[in-house]
Amino acid sequence: MSDFKLTPCSLGEIKEDIPYKIPSNIKLLGAETFWNKGIYGEGITVAILDTGIDTSHVCLKDRIIGGKNFTNEGKENDFTDWNGHGTHVAGIIAGNRVEKGITGVAPECNLLIIKVLDRFGDGAFPNIVKGLEYAIEQNVDIINMSLGGRADDDSLHEVIKKATDKGICICCASGNNGDGSADTDEINFPGNYHEVIEVGAVDRDNSIAKFSNTNPEIDIVSYGVNIMSTYKNNRYATTSGTSQATPHVSGALALIKEDFVKTYGRKPTESELWARLVKCTNFLNDIDTKAQGNGVLYLGNGCE
C-alpha cells in the first residue's frame, strides 16, 4: 500500500491541439500585472514533486533544467510522466507561450522535475523525503507538491523544516476530500504541516470548491475548477482539484521572488516571500478561514 497518492481529481476534456491562449484562470489571477513589468519568473527554479513530466511537450521542454526519478518506474534519469498529472501541474506554473499552446503563471521560470509518484499516482515516504533532499541540494527556490497522504511522518516533517530553514517556500495541495462544510476538518500531509503553504481551491466565481479540504492550516486558495493545461503526449486537458490550485501559488511565488530580487538586489527570506504572498490575497467575506485561509490569490494589485 502506498503512503502517498495524487489528490483525487476529475479529468475532463483532452485536446490534441489548441490555438495559443491565456487560460481564463491565469487572466483572473492577474499575472499580467507582473508580466507588464517584465517579470515572468526568469532565474527562479520551481521543483515539482509529482508523476514526472512530458519532456517533449512543446509548452514545457525549454523550461526543464533537469530532474531525477525516485520511483521504481524507469531509470534514475528518466522522469517521463506516464500519468499526466505532473505535466498538467507544470503547465500551470510555466507554460511557455508557444504559438499553439498556453501560458502558465511564470512562463520563464525553470522547472526541476522530481518524479516521486508512479503512473498510478502512488508514492512512498522514503521517496518523497529523498526527492525533497534532492530539491534542497539543487538550491531550488520553490517546491510544488500536489500530492498527499493521511499519515504523519517525522522524517518528512524534518526535511520540510530543513527546506524552509534554507528559504525554500513549499506549496502543498490541501486535498480533495472536502464535504462542502468548514465545520468538519479534512487532513492531508504534507499540506497540514505548519511550515508549508497549504492551498485550497475555488472556482472562477471565487466560491470554495466543494471538494476542497477545510482545516485550520489552510493558508490560501486559488483556481482549481475546470483548469486547462498541458497533458501527456503533447496534449492539453481540463482537470479540477486542489492539485491545480497549488501550482497557481507556486507560479505566483516565482513572479514575486523575481520582482523582489530586481527591486532589492537580494533574495528574500522565506518569511519575506510569504509576507508578499499574503499581500496578494483578497479575503472572501462570509467564508470561514478554515476554507480560505488568508483569501484568494490575486496578483493584479502588484502585491505591494
Side-chain angles (χ1 to χ4, degrees):
M1 185 176 178
S2 62
D3 301 308
F4 281 88
K5 294 187 73 71
L6 295 176
T7 53
C9 56
S10 60
L11 178 63
E13 185 180 10
I14 298 175
K15 293 185 177 182
E16 298 293 329
D17 197 10
I18 59 172
Y20 171 74
K21 68 182 298 181
I22 302 174
S24 59
N25 46 291
I26 304 295
K27 289 184 177 181
L28 286 170
L29 193 68
E32 288 173 280
T33 299
F34 280 83
W35 300 349
N36 291 339
K37 297 194 297 181
I39 302 296
Y40 295 96
E42 183 180 5
I44 306 300
T45 299
V46 181
I48 302 177
L49 275 71
D50 213 292
T51 60
I53 197 170
D54 179 352
T55 57
S56 61
H57 200 293
V58 65
C59 286
L60 299 170
K61 59 185 181 181
D62 64 353
R63 304 269 42 91
I64 303 166
I65 60 168
K68 198 169 184 178
N69 178 14
F70 290 94
T71 73
N72 295 323
E73 190 173 76
K75 297 181 179 179
E76 187 179 85
N77 62 351
D78 180 7
F79 38 85
T80 303
D81 181 11
W82 299 108
N83 177 284
H85 187 273
T87 301
H88 200 268
V89 165
I92 297 168
I93 296 172
N96 65 1
R97 301 171 293 174
V98 295
E99 183 178 349
K100 292 185 177 181
I102 63 164
T103 185
V105 181
E108 292 183 9
C109 76
N110 302 318
L111 298 179
L112 183 73
I113 308 304
I114 304 176
K115 183 171 179 173
V116 293
L117 303 175
D118 63 20
R119 68 184 67 207
F120 304 108
D122 294 334
F125 278 121
N127 294 342
I128 305 292
V129 170
K130 289 176 185 176
L132 285 166
E133 290 279 9
Y134 175 69
I136 295 168
E137 291 167 4
Q138 299 304 306
N139 296 314
V140 303
D141 298 284
I142 298 148
I143 295 173
N144 190 96
M145 300 178 72
S146 291
L147 48 78
R150 297 295 181 88
D152 192 356
D153 180 78
D154 288 342
S155 61
L156 176 63
H157 198 185
E158 287 304 312
V159 74
I160 281 174
K161 288 189 282 188
K162 179 180 176 182
T164 55
D165 285 346
K166 289 185 175 292
I168 301 171
C169 280
I170 304 176
C171 297
C172 297
S174 67
N176 302 333
N177 311 112
D179 58 7
S181 171
D183 293 332
T184 52
D185 294 345
E186 300 86 30
I187 306 298
N188 269 344
F189 295 95
N192 204 241
Y193 293 134
H194 182 69
E195 292 81 8
V196 309
I197 298 169
E198 186 175 27
V199 184
V202 294
D203 63 19
R204 285 168 176 75
D205 294 324
N206 287 342
S207 297
I208 302 296
K210 186 174 181 179
F211 57 74
S212 187
N213 284 10
T214 59
N215 64 70
E217 290 294 336
I218 298 293
D219 291 298
I220 192 169
V221 291
S222 192
Y223 301 109
V225 179
N226 296 327
I227 304 299
M228 188 180 71
S229 185
T230 49
Y231 195 61
K232 63 180 180 178
N233 300 324
N234 207 38
R235 295 178 295 174
Y236 303 86
T238 301
T239 303
S240 299
T242 57
S243 282
Q244 283 59 50
T246 304
H248 285 85
V249 180
S250 294
L253 285 168
L255 298 181
I256 296 167
K257 188 162 188 176
E258 184 197 353
D259 188 51
F260 188 101
V261 170
K262 287 187 173 179
T263 300
Y264 297 104
R266 64 173 178 85
K267 287 187 175 183
T269 63
E270 191 267 345
S271 59
E272 285 175 325
L273 198 55
W274 163 246
R276 284 284 177 114
L277 181 67
V278 172
K279 289 182 179 180
C280 300
T281 58
N282 287 332
F283 193 76
L284 304 173
N285 293 327
D286 303 320
I287 294 179
D288 197 296
T289 56
K290 291 201 299 180
Q292 67 165 318
N294 291 278
V296 63
L297 177 64
Y298 179 63
L299 299 173
N301 59 12
C303 306
E304 298 297 334

